[in-house]
Coordinates of all heavy atoms in Angstrom, one line a residue:
M852 N 148.0 54.2 139.4 CA 146.6 54.4 140.1 C 146.8 55.4 141.2 O 147.8 55.3 141.9 CB 146.1 53.0 140.6 CG 144.8 53.2 141.4 SD 143.8 51.9 141.0 CE 142.4 52.4 141.7
L853 N 145.8 56.2 141.3 CA 145.9 57.3 142.3 C 145.6 56.8 143.7 O 144.9 55.8 143.8 CB 144.8 58.3 142.0 CG 145.0 59.2 140.7 CD1 143.8 60.1 140.5 CD2 146.2 59.9 140.7
S854 N 146.3 57.2 144.7 CA 146.0 56.9 146.0 C 144.6 57.2 146.4 O 144.0 58.1 145.9 CB 147.0 57.5 146.9 OG 146.8 58.8 147.1
Y855 N 144.1 56.7 147.6 CA 142.9 57.1 148.2 C 142.7 58.6 148.4 O 141.7 59.2 148.0 CB 142.7 56.2 149.5 CG 141.4 56.7 150.2 CD1 140.1 56.3 149.7 CD2 141.5 57.6 151.3 CE1 139.0 56.8 150.5 CE2 140.4 58.0 152.0 CZ 139.2 57.6 151.6 OH 138.0 58.0 152.3
E856 N 143.8 59.2 149.0 CA 143.7 60.6 149.2 C 143.6 61.5 148.1 O 143.0 62.5 148.0 CB 145.0 61.0 150.1 CG 145.0 60.5 151.5 CD 145.5 59.1 151.6 OE1 146.0 58.6 150.6 OE2 145.3 58.4 152.7
E857 N 144.4 61.0 147.0 CA 144.4 61.8 145.6 C 143.0 61.6 145.0 O 142.5 62.6 144.4 CB 145.4 61.2 144.8 CG 146.9 61.5 145.2 CD 147.9 60.9 144.4 OE1 147.7 59.7 143.9 OE2 149.0 61.4 144.3
Q858 N 142.5 60.5 145.0 CA 141.1 60.3 144.5 C 140.1 61.1 145.2 O 139.2 61.7 144.6 CB 140.7 58.7 144.5 CG 141.5 57.9 143.5 CD 141.0 56.4 143.7 OE1 140.0 56.1 144.2 NE2 141.9 55.5 143.1
T859 N 140.2 61.1 146.5 CA 139.2 61.9 147.4 C 139.3 63.3 147.1 O 138.4 64.0 146.9 CB 139.5 61.7 148.9 OG1 139.3 60.2 149.1 CG2 138.4 62.4 149.7
K860 N 140.6 63.8 147.0 CA 140.9 65.3 146.6 C 140.2 65.6 145.3 O 139.6 66.7 145.1 CB 142.3 65.6 146.8 CG 142.6 67.0 146.5 CD 144.1 67.2 146.7 CE 144.4 68.7 146.5 NZ 145.9 68.9 146.6
K861 N 140.5 64.8 144.3 CA 139.9 65.0 142.9 C 138.5 65.1 142.9 O 137.8 65.9 142.3 CB 140.5 63.9 142.0 CG 140.1 64.1 140.6 CD 140.8 63.0 139.7 CE 140.3 63.2 138.3 NZ 140.8 62.0 137.5
L862 N 137.8 64.1 143.6 CA 136.4 64.0 143.6 C 135.8 65.2 144.4 O 134.7 65.8 144.0 CB 135.8 62.7 144.3 CG 136.1 61.5 143.3 CD1 135.7 60.2 144.1 CD2 135.3 61.6 142.0
L863 N 136.4 65.6 145.5 CA 135.9 66.8 146.2 C 136.0 68.0 145.4 O 135.1 68.9 145.4 CB 136.7 66.9 147.6 CG 136.3 65.8 148.6 CD1 137.2 66.0 149.8 CD2 134.8 66.0 149.0
G864 N 137.1 68.2 144.6 CA 137.3 69.3 143.8 C 136.2 69.4 142.7 O 135.6 70.4 142.4
R865 N 135.9 68.2 142.1 CA 134.8 68.1 141.1 C 133.5 68.5 141.7 O 132.7 69.2 141.0 CB 134.8 66.8 140.4 CG 136.0 66.5 139.5 CD 135.9 65.1 138.9 NE 134.7 64.8 138.3 CZ 134.3 63.5 137.9 NH1 135.1 62.5 138.2 NH2 133.2 63.3 137.3
R866 N 133.2 68.0 142.9 CA 131.9 68.2 143.6 C 131.9 69.8 143.8 O 130.8 70.4 143.7 CB 131.8 67.4 144.9 CG 130.4 67.7 145.5 CD 130.2 66.9 146.7 NE 131.0 67.3 147.8 CZ 131.1 66.8 148.9 NH1 130.4 65.5 149.2 NH2 131.8 67.2 149.9
E867 N 132.9 70.3 144.3 CA 132.8 71.8 144.7 C 132.7 72.6 143.4 O 131.9 73.6 143.4 CB 134.2 72.3 145.2 CG 134.3 73.6 145.7 CD 135.7 73.9 146.5 OE1 136.2 73.0 147.1 OE2 136.1 75.1 146.2
A868 N 133.3 72.3 142.3 CA 133.1 72.9 141.1 C 131.6 72.8 140.6 O 131.0 73.9 140.2 CB 133.9 72.4 139.9
L869 N 131.0 71.7 140.8 CA 129.6 71.5 140.3 C 128.7 72.2 141.3 O 127.7 72.9 140.8 CB 129.2 70.0 140.5 CG 129.7 69.2 139.3 CD1 129.4 67.6 139.6 CD2 129.0 69.6 138.1
E870 N 129.0 72.4 142.6 CA 128.2 73.1 143.6 C 128.1 74.6 143.2 O 127.2 75.2 143.4 CB 128.6 72.8 144.9 CG 128.2 71.4 145.4 CD 128.7 71.0 146.8 OE1 129.7 71.7 147.3 OE2 128.3 70.0 147.4
K871 N 129.4 75.0 142.9 CA 129.5 76.4 142.5 C 128.7 76.7 141.3 O 128.0 77.7 141.2 CB 131.0 76.8 142.3 CG 131.3 78.1 141.9 CD 132.7 78.4 141.6 CE 133.0 79.9 141.1 NZ 134.2 80.1 140.6
R872 N 128.8 75.9 140.3 CA 128.1 76.1 139.0 C 126.5 76.0 139.3 O 125.8 76.9 138.8 CB 128.3 75.1 138.0 CG 127.8 75.4 136.6 CD 128.5 74.6 135.6 NE 127.9 73.2 135.7 CZ 128.5 72.1 135.3 NH1 129.6 72.2 134.8 NH2 127.9 71.0 135.4
M873 N 126.1 75.2 140.2 CA 124.6 75.1 140.5 C 124.2 76.3 141.3 O 123.2 76.9 141.0 CB 124.4 73.9 141.5 CG 124.5 72.7 140.7 SD 124.3 71.0 141.9 CE 123.0 71.4 142.9
R874 N 125.0 77.0 142.1 CA 124.7 78.2 142.8 C 124.6 79.4 141.8 O 123.6 80.1 141.8 CB 125.7 78.6 143.9 CG 125.6 77.7 145.1 CD 126.5 78.4 146.3 NE 128.0 78.4 145.9 CZ 128.9 77.3 146.1 NH1 128.3 76.1 146.6 NH2 130.0 77.4 145.7
E875 N 125.6 79.5 140.9 CA 125.6 80.4 139.8 C 124.3 80.3 139.0 O 123.7 81.2 138.6 CB 126.9 80.4 139.0 CG 128.0 80.8 139.8 CD 129.3 80.6 139.0 OE1 129.3 79.9 138.0 OE2 130.4 81.0 139.6
D876 N 124.0 79.0 138.5 CA 122.8 78.7 137.7 C 121.5 79.0 138.5 O 120.6 79.7 137.8 CB 122.8 77.3 137.2 CG 123.8 77.0 136.3 OD1 124.5 77.8 135.6 OD2 124.0 75.8 136.0
G877 N 121.6 78.8 139.8 CA 120.3 79.2 140.5 C 120.2 80.7 140.6 O 119.0 81.1 140.5
A878 N 121.2 81.4 140.7 CA 121.1 82.8 140.8 C 120.6 83.4 139.4 O 119.8 84.3 139.3 CB 122.5 83.5 141.1
E879 N 121.1 82.8 138.3 CA 120.7 83.1 137.0 C 119.2 82.8 136.7 O 118.5 83.7 136.2 CB 121.5 82.4 135.9 CG 121.1 82.8 134.5 CD 121.6 84.3 134.1 OE1 122.6 84.7 134.8 OE2 121.1 84.8 133.2
I880 N 118.8 81.7 137.2 CA 117.3 81.4 137.2 C 116.5 82.3 138.0 O 115.4 82.8 137.5 CB 117.1 79.9 137.8 CG1 117.7 78.9 136.7 CG2 115.6 79.6 138.0 CD1 117.7 77.5 137.2
D881 N 116.9 82.8 139.1 CA 116.2 83.8 139.9 C 116.1 85.1 139.1 O 115.1 85.7 139.2 CB 117.0 84.0 141.3 CG 116.8 82.8 142.2 OD1 115.9 81.9 142.0 OD2 117.6 82.7 143.2
K882 N 117.2 85.5 138.5 CA 117.2 86.7 137.7 C 116.2 86.6 136.5 O 115.4 87.6 136.4 CB 118.6 87.0 137.1 CG 119.6 87.4 138.1 CD 120.9 87.7 137.4 CE 122.0 87.9 138.4 NZ 123.4 88.0 137.8
I883 N 116.2 85.4 135.9 CA 115.2 85.3 134.7 C 113.8 85.3 135.2 O 112.9 85.9 134.7 CB 115.5 83.9 134.0 CG1 116.9 84.1 133.3 CG2 114.4 83.5 133.1 CD1 117.4 82.7 132.7
N884 N 113.5 84.6 136.4 CA 112.2 84.5 137.0 C 111.7 86.0 137.4 O 110.6 86.4 137.2 CB 112.1 83.6 138.2 CG 112.0 82.2 137.8 OD1 111.7 81.9 136.7 ND2 112.5 81.3 138.7
A885 N 112.7 86.8 137.9 CA 112.4 88.1 138.3 C 112.0 89.0 137.0 O 110.9 89.7 137.1 CB 113.5 88.8 139.0
K886 N 112.7 88.8 136.0 CA 112.4 89.5 134.8 C 111.1 89.0 134.1 O 110.3 89.8 133.6 CB 113.5 89.4 133.7 CG 113.4 90.1 132.4 CD 113.6 91.5 132.7 CE 113.5 92.3 131.5 NZ 113.5 93.7 131.6
L887 N 110.8 87.8 134.2 CA 109.5 87.2 133.8 C 108.3 87.9 134.5 O 107.3 88.2 134.0 CB 109.5 85.7 133.8 CG 110.2 85.0 132.7 CD1 110.4 83.5 133.0 CD2 109.6 85.2 131.4
N888 N 108.5 87.9 135.8 CA 107.5 88.4 136.7 C 107.2 89.9 136.3 O 106.1 90.4 136.3 CB 107.8 88.3 138.2 CG 107.7 86.8 138.7 OD1 107.1 86.0 138.1 ND2 108.4 86.6 139.7
E889 N 108.4 90.6 136.1 CA 108.2 92.0 135.8 C 107.5 92.2 134.5 O 106.6 93.1 134.4 CB 109.7 92.6 135.7 CG 109.8 94.1 135.5 CD 111.2 94.4 135.3 OE1 112.0 94.1 136.2 OE2 111.5 95.3 134.4
L890 N 107.8 91.3 133.5 CA 107.0 91.5 132.2 C 105.6 91.1 132.3 O 104.8 91.7 131.7 CB 107.7 90.5 131.2 CG 109.1 90.9 130.7 CD1 109.7 89.7 129.8 CD2 109.0 92.2 130.0
Q891 N 105.3 90.1 133.1 CA 103.9 89.7 133.4 C 103.1 90.9 134.0 O 102.0 91.2 133.7 CB 103.7 88.4 134.2 CG 104.2 87.3 133.4 CD 104.3 86.0 134.2 OE1 104.4 86.1 135.5 NE2 104.4 84.9 133.6
L892 N 103.7 91.6 135.1 CA 103.0 92.6 135.7 C 103.0 93.9 134.7 O 101.9 94.6 134.7 CB 103.8 93.0 136.9 CG 103.8 92.2 138.2 CD1 104.7 92.6 139.3 CD2 102.3 92.1 138.7
A893 N 103.9 94.0 133.9 CA 103.9 95.1 132.9 C 102.7 94.9 132.0 O 101.9 95.9 131.6 CB 105.1 95.3 132.2
K894 N 102.5 93.7 131.6 CA 101.4 93.3 130.6 C 100.0 93.6 131.3 O 99.2 94.1 130.6 CB 101.5 91.9 130.2 CG 100.3 91.5 129.2 CD 100.5 90.0 128.8 CE 99.3 89.6 127.9 NZ 99.5 88.3 127.5
V895 N 99.9 93.2 132.5 CA 98.6 93.4 133.3 C 98.4 94.9 133.5 O 97.3 95.5 133.2 CB 98.6 92.7 134.7 CG1 97.4 93.1 135.6 CG2 98.6 91.2 134.4
R896 N 99.5 95.6 133.8 CA 99.4 97.1 134.0 C 99.0 97.8 132.7 O 98.1 98.6 132.7 CB 100.7 97.7 134.5 CG 100.8 98.9 134.9 CD 102.2 99.5 135.4 NE 103.1 99.6 134.2 CZ 104.2 99.1 134.0 NH1 104.8 98.4 135.0 NH2 105.0 99.2 133.0
D897 N 99.6 97.4 131.7 CA 99.3 98.0 130.3 C 97.9 97.6 129.9 O 97.2 98.4 129.2 CB 100.3 97.5 129.3 CG 101.6 98.1 129.5 OD1 101.7 99.0 130.3 OD2 102.6 97.5 128.9
T898 N 97.4 96.5 130.3 CA 96.0 96.0 130.0 C 95.0 97.0 130.6 O 94.0 97.3 130.0 CB 95.7 94.5 130.5 OG1 96.6 93.7 129.8 CG2 94.3 94.3 130.1
F899 N 95.3 97.5 131.8 CA 94.4 98.4 132.4 C 94.7 99.9 132.2 O 94.1 100.8 132.6 CB 94.4 98.2 134.0 CG 93.8 96.7 134.3 CD1 94.6 95.9 135.1 CD2 92.6 96.4 133.9 CE1 94.1 94.6 135.4 CE2 92.1 95.2 134.3 CZ 92.8 94.2 135.0
G900 N 95.9 100.1 131.4 CA 96.2 101.5 131.1 C 96.7 102.2 132.3 O 96.4 103.4 132.5
L901 N 97.4 101.7 133.3 CA 97.8 102.3 134.5 C 99.3 102.6 134.5 O 100.1 101.9 133.9 CB 97.5 101.4 135.7 CG 96.0 101.2 136.0 CD1 95.9 100.0 137.1 CD2 95.2 102.4 136.4
S902 N 99.7 103.6 135.1 CA 101.1 103.9 135.4 C 101.6 102.9 136.4 O 100.8 102.3 137.2 CB 101.4 105.3 135.8 OG 100.9 105.5 137.3
Q903 N 102.9 102.7 136.5 CA 103.5 101.8 137.4 C 103.1 102.1 139.0 O 102.7 101.3 139.7 CB 105.0 101.8 137.3 CG 105.6 100.6 138.2 CD 107.1 100.5 137.8 OE1 107.6 101.2 137.0 NE2 107.8 99.5 138.5
K904 N 103.2 103.4 139.2 CA 102.8 103.9 140.5 C 101.3 103.6 140.8 O 100.9 103.1 141.9 CB 103.0 105.4 140.7 CG 102.7 106.0 142.1 CD 102.9 107.4 142.1 CE 102.3 107.9 143.3 NZ 101.7 109.3 143.3
D905 N 100.4 103.9 140.0 CA 99.0 103.7 140.1 C 98.7 102.2 140.2 O 97.8 101.7 141.0 CB 98.2 104.3 138.9 CG 98.2 105.7 138.9 OD1 98.4 106.4 140.0 OD2 97.9 106.3 137.8
F906 N 99.4 101.3 139.5 CA 99.2 99.9 139.5 C 99.6 99.4 140.8 O 98.9 98.5 141.4 CB 99.9 99.3 138.4 CG 99.7 97.7 138.3 CD1 98.5 97.3 138.0 CD2 100.8 96.8 138.5 CE1 98.2 95.8 138.0 CE2 100.5 95.4 138.5 CZ 99.3 95.0 138.2
F907 N 100.8 99.9 141.3 CA 101.1 99.3 142.7 C 100.3 99.8 143.8 O 99.9 99.0 144.6 CB 102.6 100.0 142.9 CG 103.2 99.5 144.3 CD1 103.7 98.3 144.5 CD2 103.1 100.5 145.4 CE1 104.2 97.9 145.6 CE2 103.7 100.0 146.6 CZ 104.2 98.8 146.8
E908 N 99.7 101.0 143.7 CA 98.7 101.4 144.7 C 97.5 100.6 144.5 O 96.9 100.2 145.6 CB 98.4 102.9 144.4 CG 97.5 103.4 145.4 CD 97.0 105.0 145.1 OE1 98.1 105.7 144.9 OE2 95.9 105.2 145.2
L909 N 97.0 100.2 143.3 CA 95.8 99.5 143.1 C 96.0 98.1 143.7 O 95.1 97.7 144.5 CB 95.6 99.3 141.6 CG 94.4 98.4 141.2 CD1 93.1 99.1 141.7 CD2 94.3 98.2 139.8
I910 N 97.2 97.4 143.5 CA 97.2 96.0 144.0 C 97.6 96.0 145.5 O 97.3 95.0 146.2 CB 98.3 95.2 143.3 CG1 99.7 95.8 143.3 CG2 97.9 95.0 141.8 CD1 100.7 95.0 142.7
T911 N 98.2 97.0 146.1 CA 98.5 97.0 147.5 C 97.4 97.6 148.4 O 97.2 97.1 149.5 CB 99.8 97.8 147.7 OG1 99.7 99.1 147.3 CG2 101.0 97.0 147.1
Q912 N 96.7 98.7 147.9 CA 95.7 99.3 148.7 C 94.3 99.0 148.4 O 93.4 99.1 149.2 CB 96.0 100.8 148.7 CG 97.4 101.2 149.2 CD 97.6 102.7 149.1 OE1 96.7 103.4 148.7 NE2 98.9 103.1 149.5
H913 N 94.0 98.6 147.1 CA 92.7 98.3 146.7 C 92.5 97.0 145.8 O 92.2 97.2 144.7 CB 92.2 99.6 145.8 CG 92.3 100.8 146.5 ND1 91.5 101.3 147.6 CD2 93.2 101.8 146.2 CE1 92.0 102.5 147.9 NE2 93.0 102.8 147.1
P914 N 92.9 95.9 146.5 CA 93.0 94.6 145.6 C 91.5 94.3 145.2 O 91.3 93.7 144.1 CB 93.5 93.6 146.6 CG 93.3 94.2 147.9 CD 93.4 95.7 147.8
E915 N 90.5 94.8 145.9 CA 89.2 94.5 145.5 C 88.8 95.2 144.1 O 88.1 94.7 143.3 CB 88.2 94.8 146.6 CG 87.9 96.3 146.8 CD 89.1 97.0 147.6 OE1 89.9 96.4 148.1 OE2 89.0 98.3 147.6
K916 N 89.4 96.3 144.0 CA 89.1 97.0 142.7 C 89.8 96.3 141.5 O 89.3 96.3 140.5 CB 89.6 98.5 142.8 CG 88.8 99.3 143.7 CD 88.9 100.9 143.2 CE 88.2 101.6 144.2 NZ 86.9 102.1 143.7
L917 N 91.0 95.8 141.8 CA 91.6 94.9 140.7 C 90.8 93.8 140.4 O 90.6 93.5 139.2 CB 93.1 94.4 141.3 CG 93.8 93.7 140.3 CD1 94.1 94.5 139.0 CD2 95.1 93.2 140.9
L918 N 90.2 93.1 141.3 CA 89.3 92.0 141.0 C 88.0 92.5 140.1 O 87.6 91.9 139.2 CB 88.8 91.4 142.2 CG 89.8 90.6 143.1 CD1 89.2 90.1 144.4 CD2 90.4 89.5 142.2
E919 N 87.6 93.6 140.5 CA 86.4 94.2 139.7 C 86.9 94.5 138.3 O 86.2 94.2 137.4 CB 86.0 95.5 140.3 CG 85.2 95.3 141.7 CD 84.8 96.7 142.3 OE1 84.8 97.6 141.7 OE2 84.5 96.6 143.5
L920 N 88.0 95.2 138.1 CA 88.5 95.5 136.9 C 88.8 94.2 136.0 O 88.5 94.1 134.8 CB 89.8 96.2 136.9 CG 89.6 97.7 137.3 CD1 91.0 98.3 137.6 CD2 89.0 98.5 136.3
T921 N 89.3 93.2 136.6 CA 89.6 91.9 135.9 C 88.3 91.3 135.5 O 88.2 90.8 134.5 CB 90.3 91.0 137.0 OG1 91.5 91.7 137.4 CG2 90.7 89.7 136.3
A922 N 87.3 91.3 136.4 CA 86.0 90.7 136.0 C 85.3 91.5 134.9 O 84.7 90.8 134.0 CB 85.0 90.7 137.3
Q923 N 85.5 92.8 134.9 CA 84.9 93.6 133.8 C 85.6 93.4 132.4 O 85.0 93.2 131.4 CB 85.0 95.1 134.2 CG 84.0 95.5 135.3 CD 84.2 96.8 135.7 OE1 85.1 97.6 135.2 NE2 83.5 97.2 136.8
S924 N 86.9 93.3 132.5 CA 87.7 93.3 131.3 C 87.9 91.8 130.8 O 88.3 91.6 129.6 CB 89.0 94.0 131.3 OG 89.8 93.3 132.2
G925 N 87.9 90.9 131.7 CA 88.1 89.6 131.4 C 89.7 89.4 131.1 O 90.1 88.4 130.5
A926 N 90.5 90.3 131.6 CA 91.8 90.2 131.5 C 92.6 89.0 132.0 O 93.5 88.5 131.5 CB 92.5 91.5 131.9
A927 N 92.1 88.6 133.2 CA 92.8 87.6 133.9 C 92.1 86.3 133.7 O 91.2 85.9 134.6 CB 92.9 87.9 135.4
V928 N 92.2 85.6 132.6 CA 91.5 84.3 132.4 C 92.6 83.2 132.6 O 93.7 83.3 132.2 CB 91.1 84.3 130.9 CG1 90.4 82.8 130.7 CG2 90.1 85.3 130.7
S929 N 92.2 82.3 133.4 CA 93.2 81.2 133.7 C 93.6 80.4 132.4 O 92.6 80.0 131.6 CB 92.6 80.2 134.7 OG 93.4 79.1 134.8
D930 N 94.8 80.2 132.3 CA 95.3 79.5 131.1 C 95.3 77.9 131.4 O 95.6 77.2 130.5 CB 96.7 79.9 130.6 CG 97.7 79.8 131.8 OD1 97.4 79.5 132.8 OD2 98.8 80.0 131.4
T931 N 94.9 77.6 132.5 CA 94.7 76.1 132.8 C 93.3 75.7 132.7 O 93.1 74.5 132.7 CB 95.2 75.9 134.3 OG1 94.5 76.6 135.2 CG2 96.7 76.2 134.4
D932 N 92.4 76.6 132.6 CA 90.9 76.2 132.5 C 90.6 76.0 131.1 O 90.1 76.9 130.4 CB 90.0 77.3 133.2 CG 88.7 76.8 133.3 OD1 88.3 75.7 133.2 OD2 87.8 77.7 133.5
T933 N 90.9 74.8 130.6 CA 90.7 74.6 129.2 C 89.5 73.7 128.8 O 89.0 73.6 127.7 CB 91.9 73.8 128.5 OG1 92.1 72.6 129.3 CG2 93.2 74.7 128.6
V934 N 88.8 73.1 129.8 CA 87.7 72.3 129.6 C 86.5 73.0 130.2 O 86.5 73.4 131.4 CB 87.9 70.9 130.3 CG1 86.7 70.1 130.0 CG2 89.1 70.2 129.7
S935 N 85.4 73.1 129.6 CA 84.2 73.7 130.2 C 83.6 72.8 131.1 O 83.7 71.6 131.1 CB 83.2 74.0 129.1 OG 82.6 72.8 128.4
D936 N 82.8 73.4 132.1 CA 82.2 72.5 133.1 C 81.2 71.5 132.6 O 81.1 70.4 133.2 CB 81.4 73.3 134.2 CG 82.4 74.3 134.9 OD1 83.6 73.9 135.1 OD2 81.9 75.3 135.4
D937 N 80.6 71.7 131.4 CA 79.6 70.7 131.0 C 80.2 69.8 130.0 O 79.6 69.0 129.3 CB 78.4 71.5 130.4 CG 78.8 72.4 129.2 OD1 80.0 72.7 129.1 OD2 77.9 72.8 128.5
A938 N 81.6 69.9 129.8 CA 82.2 69.0 128.7 C 82.3 67.6 129.3 O 82.3 67.4 130.5 CB 83.6 69.7 128.5
D939 N 82.3 66.6 128.3 CA 82.5 65.3 128.7 C 83.9 65.1 129.3 O 84.8 65.4 128.6 CB 82.2 64.3 127.5 CG 82.3 62.9 127.8 OD1 82.1 62.5 128.9 OD2 82.7 62.1 126.8
S940 N 83.9 64.5 130.5 CA 85.2 64.4 131.1 C 85.7 63.0 130.9 O 86.7 62.5 131.6 CB 85.2 64.7 132.6 OG 84.2 63.9 133.3
D941 N 85.2 62.1 130.0 CA 85.7 60.7 129.8 C 85.8 59.9 131.0 O 86.8 59.2 131.2 CB 87.0 60.8 129.0 CG 86.8 61.5 127.6 OD1 85.8 61.2 127.0 OD2 87.8 62.1 127.2
G942 N 84.8 60.0 131.9 CA 85.0 59.2 133.1 C 85.9 59.6 134.2 O 85.9 59.0 135.2
H943 N 86.5 60.7 134.0 CA 87.4 61.3 135.1 C 86.5 61.9 136.2 O 85.5 62.5 136.0 CB 88.4 62.3 134.4 CG 89.4 61.7 133.5 ND1 90.5 61.0 133.9 CD2 89.3 61.7 132.2 CE1 91.1 60.6 132.8 NE2 90.4 61.0 131.7
T944 N 87.0 61.8 137.4 CA 86.3 62.4 138.5 C 87.1 63.4 139.2 O 88.4 63.4 139.0 CB 85.9 61.3 139.5 OG1 87.1 60.7 140.0 CG2 84.9 60.3 138.9
T945 N 86.6 64.2 140.0 CA 87.3 65.2 140.8 C 87.2 64.8 142.3 O 86.4 63.8 142.6 CB 86.7 66.6 140.6 OG1 85.3 66.6 141.2 CG2 86.7 67.0 139.2
L946 N 87.8 65.6 143.1 CA 87.8 65.4 144.5 C 86.3 65.5 145.1 O 85.9 65.0 146.0 CB 88.7 66.3 145.3 CG 90.2 66.0 145.1 CD1 91.0 67.1 145.7 CD2 90.6 64.7 145.6
F947 N 85.4 66.3 144.4 CA 84.1 66.6 144.9 C 83.1 65.8 144.3 O 82.0 65.8 144.7 CB 83.8 68.1 144.5 CG 84.9 69.1 145.0 CD1 85.7 69.7 144.2 CD2 85.0 69.3 146.3 CE1 86.8 70.6 144.6 CE2 86.0 70.2 146.9 CZ 86.9 70.8 145.9
D948 N 83.4 64.9 143.4 CA 82.4 64.1 142.8 C 82.1 62.9 143.9 O 83.0 62.3 144.6 CB 82.9 63.3 141.6 CG 82.9 64.2 140.4 OD1 82.3 65.3 140.5 OD2 83.8 63.9 139.5
K949 N 80.7 62.5 144.0 CA 80.4 61.5 144.9 C 80.8 60.2 144.2 O 80.6 59.8 143.0 CB 78.9 61.4 145.0 CG 78.4 60.5 145.9 CD 78.4 61.0 147.3 CE 77.6 60.1 148.3 NZ 78.0 60.2 149.6
K950 N 81.7 59.3 144.9 CA 82.1 58.1 144.5 C 81.5 56.9 145.1 O 81.0 56.9 146.3 CB 83.6 58.1 144.7 CG 84.4 59.1 144.0 CD 85.8 59.1 144.4 CE 86.6 60.1 143.5 NZ 86.2 61.6 143.9
R951 N 81.2 55.8 144.4 CA 80.6 54.6 144.9 C 81.5 54.0 145.8 O 82.6 53.8 145.6 CB 80.2 53.8 143.7 CG 79.4 52.5 144.2 CD 79.1 51.6 142.9 NE 80.2 50.7 142.6 CZ 80.5 49.6 143.3 NH1 79.8 49.3 144.3 NH2 81.5 48.8 142.9
N952 N 81.0 53.5 146.9 CA 81.8 52.8 148.0 C 81.7 51.2 147.5 O 80.6 50.6 147.5 CB 81.2 52.8 149.4 CG 82.0 52.1 150.4 OD1 83.0 51.4 150.0 ND2 81.6 52.4 151.6
P953 N 82.9 50.6 147.1 CA 82.9 49.2 146.6 C 82.6 48.3 147.7 O 82.3 47.1 147.5 CB 84.2 49.1 146.1 CG 85.0 50.1 146.8 CD 84.2 51.2 147.0
Y954 N 82.6 48.7 148.9 CA 82.5 47.8 150.0 C 81.1 47.9 150.7 O 80.8 47.1 151.6 CB 83.5 48.1 151.3 CG 84.9 47.9 150.7 CD1 85.7 49.0 150.5 CD2 85.5 46.7 150.4 CE1 86.9 49.0 150.0 CE2 86.8 46.6 149.9 CZ 87.5 47.8 149.7 OH 88.8 47.6 149.2
A955 N 80.2 48.7 150.0 CA 78.9 48.9 150.7 C 78.0 47.7 150.4 O 77.0 47.5 151.0 CB 78.3 50.1 150.1
D956 N 78.2 46.9 149.4 CA 77.5 45.7 149.0 C 77.5 44.6 150.0 O 78.1 44.2 150.8 CB 77.8 45.2 147.6 CG 77.7 46.3 146.6 OD1 76.8 47.1 146.8 OD2 78.4 46.2 145.6

């Protein structure tokens, strides 16, 4: 059986190796996220038919124009908005719905 010091050294070594791998994986995730962001911006830029320079100028200096273009083309539609406002919500409420106070009686 390993002594306390040997067990501690072994566990610390394993922990260090895991922490190193986590840092490397985190850096890889950051690279992937940056590439995804770049691709998404390229798609939006191509939707409006703008060069990279013109698109950068548009979003940094004239964001209101980007909103106008988006509203005109319908390019930026939320992918989370899947239920229409008048759809049956099966009894689900939102933060803005008036709720009955059960203690009012």
